[in-house]
Amino acid sequence: MPIYECDPWREQYFRDVDCPAHVHIPTDDMDGYKFNPRHRRIYDRLWIAQSQGLECGSIDSAPLRYPVFCKPVTNLKGMGAGTSVLESERAFLENCRPGDFWMKLLTGAHISSDWAVVAGETAWCRHTRGIPGFGGTFDYWIIEARLHRRLERYCRAWIRAHLPGYTGMVNIETIGGRIIEAHLRFSDQWPDLYGRQWLEAVVRLYSHGRWEFADRRRTEGYSVVLFGPHGRSYAYPSPAQLASYRAAPAVSSLQITFHADRPQRAHVMPPGGFRLAVINSGCLEAALRLRAWMARDFGVQDAGIFAVNRSASELRSLLNARATAA
């Protein structure tokens, strides 16, 4: 498949997209690194911090002020893995290891942005905000319809300065308007929520070097996750169950995100839970209701803050409170 996908549950997005055999489109960092030797330094997170003038350094030069982030300089499989917040020099000395670096602790909104880039100039972007769950999980993501003009100006200038000549997709993670990491790919969890013909536009970008996508009528999308406890075995849904889940109202796609024939230790998961499914929808209430239904079928308590019997008005009140807190 010219659109390279390492997670089989996400191949559903790409099966029907016509992509020439000679065009190589990555959706994970291993392939993004392999296909783009000229721009590989984007995966050096110490360089990312240095390129913005942020306080940072290797483990050989201790911070002057705390708290700080400590994380691997490069991690192509699970870029968020290994990140910790250190409050003191003692914590720094005990926790930073060879291959790690430290940087100023950033605060503010954590936003993931996908960018289409043509010869170093940005042509399109879309922003996603994660609503935290517990134990390093996200309860759900909001694929926002609105613009973030200040953030977009900052990222455009950074891309122009540091990705000259690059054509393709870029994903940038920011906290408080500053870049913490970047990827030579797009987010493959919710391409169905970017709009019809979006993937065809991505193929044109890689095959012909131009961006053509009508994006005038954006609507918000939601990517909702179901987690279960670690240490349990889970039965893979039957074909009939999958068909009924996917037929639920307002559901765009469903991903069952584990391999039934592999042990849990073979799956990369956050400490807060074992990820069972991802539900994409243009309606948050619909996605949450399907999650509650699936949670019952998996024999787990719905991992979100939403009980099965919540009314629509109660859901809206909870959502407003959650959004305010976020």
Side-chain angles (χ1 to χ4, degrees):
M1 181 182 292
I3 301 178
Y4 293 82
E5 176 55 65
C6 62
D7 293 322
W9 46 84
R10 291 174 181 157
E11 290 180 357
Q12 60 182 298
Y13 300 129
F14 313 120
R15 288 194 187 105
D16 298 326
V17 180
D18 186 15
C19 184
H22 68 280
V23 175
H24 306 290
I25 302 175
T27 63
D28 82 334
D29 292 309
M30 294 290 287
D31 286 330
Y33 184 89
K34 179 173 67 176
F35 296 152
N36 296 282
R38 181 182 171 191
H39 300 291
R40 282 177 179 170
R41 69 175 180 176
I42 201 172
Y43 288 107
D44 182 330
R45 291 188 288 194
L46 175 57
W47 173 79
I48 292 282
Q50 291 169 336
S51 73
Q52 301 171 89
L54 299 176
E55 292 180 43
C56 61
S58 67
I59 62 170
D60 297 327
S61 56
L64 298 177
R65 288 175 288 274
Y66 293 90
V68 296
F69 281 123
C70 178
K71 59 182 85 172
V73 171
T74 300
N75 179 10
L76 296 177
K77 294 188 71 65
M79 287 289 283
T83 301
S84 56
V85 177
L86 307 179
E87 302 282 351
S88 65
E89 183 177 9
R90 179 178 178 179
F92 174 80
L93 295 173
E94 291 177 351
N95 292 281
C96 275
R97 299 289 181 265
D100 289 347
F101 83 105
W102 62 268
M103 65 173 290
K104 175 184 177 180
L105 182 67
L106 300 174
T107 59
H110 187 169
I111 295 175
S112 173
S113 306
D114 278 339
W115 293 83
V117 181
V118 179
E121 295 293 333
T122 55
W124 174 92
C125 69
R126 192 79 185 262
H127 309 291
T128 300
R129 181 163 53 92
I131 304 302
F134 52 90
T137 68
F138 281 97
D139 191 29
Y140 62 91
W141 287 265
I142 305 170
I143 293 79
E144 297 183 325
R146 72 187 184 100
L147 303 176
H148 289 260
R149 297 190 185 279
R150 180 179 297 179
L151 176 64
E152 289 168 19
R153 285 195 299 269
Y154 185 85
C155 291
R156 281 195 181 100
W158 189 89
I159 289 170
R160 184 179 298 117
H162 299 292
L163 288 174
Y166 175 77
T167 295
M169 297 301 299
V170 177
N171 174 262
I172 290 180
E173 302 277 343
T174 57
I175 295 179
R178 294 297 177 264
I179 301 169
I180 59 169
E181 59 190 52
H183 317 263
L184 298 172
R185 57 166 175 79
F186 60 88
S187 302
D188 60 350
Q189 184 171 310
W190 46 74
D192 55 321
L193 299 178
Y194 283 158
R196 294 184 60 188
Q197 305 299 310
W198 184 81
L199 280 169
E200 286 78 1
V202 171
V203 172
R204 277 193 300 274
L205 176 65
Y206 282 86
S207 60
H208 299 294
R210 66 177 188 268
W211 181 257
E212 297 171 352
F213 178 61
D215 195 24
R216 303 183 192 91
R217 300 181 66 181
R218 290 185 177 186
T219 58
E220 283 197 341
Y222 304 91
S223 191
V224 175
V225 192
L226 171 63
F227 285 99
H230 286 290
R232 283 186 46 182
S233 60
Y234 296 99
Y236 204 87
S238 69
Q241 285 178 305
L242 289 174
S244 63
Y245 297 151
R246 289 179 170 131
V251 171
S252 174
S253 65
L254 171 68
Q255 307 163 32
I256 304 299
T257 55
F258 66 98
H259 300 277
D261 58 348
R262 297 184 189 176
Q264 283 199 17
R265 64 179 179 273
H267 299 79
V268 178
M269 298 288 177
F274 185 81
R275 189 181 62 243
L276 299 168
V278 174
I279 303 159
N280 288 353
S281 175
C283 173
L284 182 55
E285 293 177 18
L288 294 170
R289 291 197 183 282
L290 176 56
R291 179 171 72 177
W293 172 15
M294 293 181 67
R296 287 197 300 266
D297 288 351
F298 274 112
V300 301
Q301 182 178 357
D302 186 356
I305 61 171
F306 305 95
V308 173
N309 59 354
R310 296 280 189 191
S311 68
S313 60
E314 288 176 311
L315 281 169
R316 291 191 189 96
S317 297
L318 285 166
L319 290 172
N320 289 336
R322 190 68 169 264
T324 301

